[in-house]
Amino acid sequence: MAEEKFLIHGGARLEGQIAVSGGKNAAVAIIPAALLGSSPSVIENLPDIEDVHVLIDMLRALGAKVEFSGSVMRVDPTTVDSYAPPARLAQKMRASYYLAPVLLGIFMRAEVPMPGGCNIGTRAIDQTVKGMTLLGAQVDTIGGVINVKSDSLVGAEVYLDCPSVGATVNTMLTAVSASGTTIIYNAAKEPHIVDLANFLNSMGARVMGAGTSIIRIRGGRPLHGSNYTIIPDQIETGTLMIAAAATGGDVIITGAIPTHMEALSAKLLEMGVYIREEDDLIHVRSNGRLRAISVKTQGYPGFPTDLQQPMTALLTVSAGSSVVTENIFDSRFKYVAELERMGARIRVIDNTAIIEGVERLVGTSVHATDLRAGAAMIVAGLLAEGETTISGVAHIDRGYEGLDRKLHSLGALIERVPE
Ligand code: EPZ
């Protein structure tokens, strides 16, 4: 596929109404989980993004029958005949390793190449290995492949050293195929963990406590196929809210879950943005210069690391000095150099960025170094003077459904052009 870039003419105010797509990080856990059913599942409200297409290719390579049209996917797992997804696909995304516990449950063995995904720092898998091992699997990661097998999976108590999203998902997915009860302590509480639990329960599993730090899973298959609608994307919602605030806009985001957005909404209110929430909509309006704030990323319900980058872009032009502390990933400030090329004044010391708000950014050529860095470049381009060119659009397409199209419909002067 030819490389593409975004051209943004900054300064246009975003106005109007826009619907948010289904959640990426929920989708990439729920689609592999559908393989655990003894009959087909239909999953609705899926985002049409590159990560979902890569997963479809992986499921087909494993023998599943998959149809995807609009936002609806039908997965027939009854023809799955392989426990080893191809490396060239698995390495394209982080969530490919969710196939390891799923295939382990089906075949009692799996060979899944080490996952890829955004380059944002250390992305260890020791807690996943711990969870699966405690449940009776032998896991070996020599040679860049997660090799896992078991004679019998039995529920256990698993204390996670950190509330890792990936380890929580992988331990839940192993536990539903184990006999007996598994208890995960210090589990991640993200909305997509709850969504995965709800999907598994709709297939006949018994997962309790998701959304708190203790999850109890009474294992035991068979599970059956299910018809399920996934949650809206928390990070797309937040990106649109930040973009609206950055342009002094007046935007209503529909199909969202406002309670998932509390950490961001609180920070935007502190900056002087007007926010109104009602049922599934969030109304964001701003005018005038916003105030500097401090932000610390944390697991849910704290401020999400995935919004740290677009939020920093907004803070580059807020009045005063802001402090952004990144507590989840150890290398999620690489994109700061790109913002500096547009005139931002940012000093990074270890995991903290100190941002001195400037009057304006000026458009230039920048690169999206990863998915959410891409969102940051878009926010910067929207609020900058003049023209911004963003390369590395493939990163953005991995995780946002038609973000350029959605912003364009709100009045942004954004075009997708060949590199
Ligand atoms: C998930 O990544 C998301 N990805 C990320 O979204 C998100 O940034 C992250 O959770 C945090 O919310 C998916 O859901 C597919 P973690 P994940 O395991 O599961 C350390 C995006 O932009 N850790 O919670 O990889 C790890 O090194 C993406 O949409 C261990 O030490 O995140 C990291 O510092 C990017 N050992 C921290 O925990 C482990 O075994 C958080 O990792 C696992 C993790």
Side-chain angles (χ1 to χ4, degrees), residues 253-308:
I253 300 162
T254 61
I257 299 184
T259 49
H260 290 170
M261 305 312 306
E262 293 305 343
L264 174 66
S265 297
K267 283 292 154 189
L268 290 175
L269 283 167
E270 211 178 307
M271 294 172 76
V273 178
Y274 166 88
I275 308 238
R276 181 176 63 87
E277 297 168 352
E278 201 182 294
D279 300 331
D280 72 340
L281 69 80
I282 304 175
H283 183 180
V284 182
R285 192 172 62 217
S286 103
N287 48 42
R289 202 164 173 212
L290 300 173
R291 289 186 288 275
I293 50 160
S294 73
V295 175
K296 292 181 170 60
T297 64
Q298 286 175 341
Y300 188 84
F303 192 93
T305 173
D306 295 343
L307 289 174
Q308 178 260 102

Side-chain angles (χ1 to χ4, degrees), residues 24-25 94 122-124 126-127 164-166 306 328 372:
K24 167 179 91 85
N25 289 342
R94 179 71 180 168
T122 317
R123 301 191 76 177
D126 55 297
Q127 299 304 302
S164 154
V165 170
D306 295 343
I328 308 296
R372 308 302 172 189

Side-chain angles (χ1 to χ4, degrees), residues 23 37 48 52 139 169 172 184 216 246 317 328 393 395 400 406:
D48 191 353
V52 165
V139 190
V169 168
M172 280 165 69
I184 308 174
R216 280 190 166 72
V317 293
I328 308 296
V393 162
H395 285 297
Y400 287 98
K406 289 188 181 185

Side-chain angles (χ1 to χ4, degrees), residues 24-26 28 94-95 97-98 118 120-129 162-167 188 190 192 235 299 305-306 309 327-330 332 370-372 398:
K24 167 179 91 85
N25 289 342
V28 297
R94 179 71 180 168
Y97 76 151
Y98 295 162
C118 288
I120 48 184
T122 317
R123 301 191 76 177
I125 65 160
D126 55 297
Q127 299 304 302
T128 283
V129 173
C162 59
S164 154
V165 170
E190 268 63 11
H192 31 284
I235 306 303
T305 173
D306 295 343
Q309 292 148 300
N327 292 314
I328 308 296
F329 289 108
D330 55 23
R332 216 173 193 179
D370 62 69
L371 168 58
R372 308 302 172 189
R398 271 192 41 220

